[in-house]
Amino acid sequence: MVREEEEESRSDEGVFYALDLGGTNFRVLRVQLGGKAGGVVHQEFTEASIPPALMGGTSDALFNYIAEKLANFVAAEEEQKFHQPPGRQRELGFTFSFPVMQTSINSGTLIRWTKGFSISDAVGQDVVAELTKALQRKGVEMPVAALVNDTIGTLAGGRYTNKDVAVAVILGTGTNAAYVERAQAIPKWHGPLPKSGEMVINMEWGNFRSLHLPLMEYDHAMDVESLNPGEQISEEAAFFGDEVHAKLKISFILRTPDMSAMHHDTSSDLRVVGQKLKDVLEISNTSLKKSRIVVKLCNIVTARGARLAAAGVLGILKKMGRDSLKDPQKTVVAMDGGLYEHYAEYRGCLENTLRELVGEETASSIVVEHSNDGSGIGAALLTASHSLYLKDKS
């Protein structure tokens, strides 16, 4: 849970960096903030993939790789665009989208890995401390001022420019959601109420368990093959698009980008489908009839995942009392993540399903927006609001 006034702070200016590790890819951003009036003046980013060997290697190897990419990005900063107030170091916000026990705004212990990672010596360690040591090894002097997950970052980034943003959803390698709740409606909160009367709830809905969640034999088969059997069941079900187990002998060989490319094939002979089957599965000379069946399978799997995600969004809207016209307030749902951004068929199905679930009238007050780089920008904003220099002033 996050106090809303902390999430909204616009009390600083300068250059802030954000490192966004949310799955198999990560981004590094730099943001020039212009204070209360200036907002985000400039922003730049670079991204890289995590080599598969590092996803199952050591903590030092992973964080050294990340720190090196950050060091290269920092070295390329242009003085003409980015200006830091005199006497101040640049600070870093760390978006780390894995289960952690957060002990302060800039520290948290890794509970377990998800999303294909399995680095045993990092479990139980403070991920900020691990990153800080790697930065020092690479000669980067940049303190980590805030540790957040991508969902909270997306919500913070969205609300910075649009107060109607009330829900944030990540749909990428993994999935999660966060929303703004009335503090009085949170039974677990026993502290003083925030001035705004609202708090942010991080749901971790990827690990949602319910007898009502429709699991099929393929879900159970995929769960057994995963790195964390019995964990992140909802996440696995929603992203069943990563593989079609009934047709494949090798688990996890068909990735979402491959499936998306086949699903979006508009050529008359479905040549993209045929090429993907050849390149990925070594199946040659696929007939047009079989290629059409593959596209139909892609559609079935995509629709299931998208409709499950839409049902989750509806659940949040119901909890907030915004699933009907009784509350005509505009509600913006900020979406981020590679699956939502790049998979047009998935995105369209999710939005159509949500419209179907709430009805056309209510749908007019609900806006689903892509929050590009939302989690990274949000991390930079939260870094600014928790700057070590602000603490010095106080």
Side-chain angles (χ1 to χ4, degrees):
M1 292 180 284
V2 180
R3 288 173 179 265
E4 182 140 58
E5 55 262 32
E6 292 179 354
E7 171 221 334
E8 293 181 346
S9 175
R10 296 188 181 190
S11 57
D12 211 6
E13 58 183 311
V15 182
F16 296 90
Y17 278 76
L19 174 64
D20 188 349
L21 178 61
T24 52
N25 299 308
F26 74 94
R27 285 190 174 191
V28 183
L29 299 93
R30 58 174 149 256
V31 178
Q32 176 82 54
L33 296 181
K36 293 183 179 180
V40 177
V41 180
H42 295 296
Q43 66 184 77
E44 294 179 343
F45 76 91
T46 186
E47 61 184 347
S49 298
I50 303 291
L54 294 183
M55 294 172 65
T58 66
S59 179
D60 282 354
L62 174 66
F63 284 104
N64 282 345
Y65 178 78
I66 292 170
E68 183 175 356
K69 296 296 184 182
L70 175 60
N72 294 339
F73 188 62
V74 172
E77 181 181 309
E78 297 180 41
E79 293 184 7
Q80 294 90 341
K81 285 186 179 179
F82 297 91
H83 311 282
Q84 187 74 335
R88 291 185 50 169
Q89 272 186 303
R90 283 149 176 72
E91 296 175 277
L92 178 67
F94 186 19
T95 301
F96 185 77
S97 304
F98 300 88
V100 298
M101 178 64 70
Q102 191 150 0
T103 51
S104 73
I105 187 61
N106 62 348
S107 63
T109 302
L110 177 63
I111 297 172
R112 66 179 179 277
W113 290 104
T114 56
K115 307 174 188 177
F117 284 76
S118 181
I119 304 172
S120 58
D121 66 340
V123 176
Q125 301 299 313
D126 181 349
V127 293
V128 172
E130 292 295 295
L131 175 61
T132 300
K133 287 187 290 185
L135 291 174
Q136 291 170 348
R137 288 192 291 266
K138 298 298 179 181
V140 179
E141 294 297 327
M142 189 180 294
V144 179
L147 173 67
V148 299
N149 72 25
D150 51 3
T151 319
I152 296 297
T154 298
L155 189 57
R159 286 180 71 82
Y160 185 75
T161 56
N162 186 349
K163 294 298 181 185
D164 290 329
V165 173
V167 181
V169 178
I170 299 295
L171 295 164
T173 306
T175 181
N176 191 17
Y179 72 102
V180 180
E181 179 64 279
R182 293 177 297 108
Q184 291 181 330
I186 306 173
K188 291 182 178 180
W189 181 253
H190 302 295
L193 294 178
K195 293 178 184 178
S196 65
E198 296 178 322
M199 297 186 75
V200 174
I201 301 296
N202 172 34
M203 296 181 66
E204 293 295 344
W205 79 2
N207 202 30
F208 174 70
R209 294 166 178 269
S210 172
L211 294 176
H212 300 291
L213 186 66
L215 298 178
M216 301 186 297
E217 60 181 289
Y218 309 113
D219 298 308
H220 293 295
M222 181 173 65
D223 181 49
V224 169
E225 293 287 341
S226 71
L227 288 171
N228 300 290
E231 304 286 350
Q232 306 298 111
I233 294 295
S234 178
E235 185 170 284
E236 291 169 354
F239 293 93
F240 186 51
D242 271 349
E243 52 281 322
V244 186
H245 293 278
K247 298 292 182 181
L248 304 175
K249 299 297 184 182
I250 303 174
S251 300
F252 307 107
I253 190 173
L254 186 66
R255 311 306 298 174
T256 303
D258 301 317
M259 183 173 156
S260 176
M262 293 191 293
H263 200 173
H264 293 116
D265 187 359
T266 57
S267 61
S268 59
D269 57 353
L270 295 178
R271 67 175 66 94
V272 175
V273 175
Q275 193 62 48
K276 284 293 179 183
L277 293 175
K278 181 180 179 181
D279 293 345
V280 179
L281 304 177
E282 298 183 355
I283 299 174
S284 301
N285 302 317
T286 306
S287 67
L288 183 58
K289 181 179 179 180
K290 288 181 180 178
S291 292
R292 285 172 176 163
I293 292 174
V294 171
V295 173
K296 189 174 291 187
L297 281 170
C298 290
N299 190 63
I300 292 170
V301 171
T302 300
R304 180 177 186 249
R307 291 178 72 84
L308 280 170
V313 174
L314 175 65
I316 297 174
L317 295 175
K318 280 182 173 289
K319 179 64 174 66
M320 299 175 71
R322 299 193 185 187
D323 62 319
S324 69
L325 289 179
K326 293 178 182 178
D327 184 354
Q329 182 177 357
K330 180 181 177 182
T331 302
V332 176
V333 181
M335 295 271 187
D336 200 8
L339 179 61
Y340 180 83
E341 179 180 1
H342 300 300
Y343 204 146
E345 290 288 343
Y346 180 96
R347 181 171 64 247
C349 182
L350 187 156
E351 293 172 0
N352 290 336
T353 300
L354 186 59
R355 190 177 301 111
E356 172 191 333
L357 292 172
V358 301
E360 287 296 334
E361 284 190 294
T362 303
S364 64
S365 66
I366 299 170
V367 178
V368 179
E369 291 184 350
H370 177 219
S371 179
N372 193 28
D373 285 335
S375 59
I377 293 172
L381 294 168
L382 290 168
T383 299
S385 68
H386 292 87
S387 170
L388 302 175
Y389 295 93
L390 289 181
K391 294 176 184 178
D392 291 342
K393 288 179 184 178
S394 61

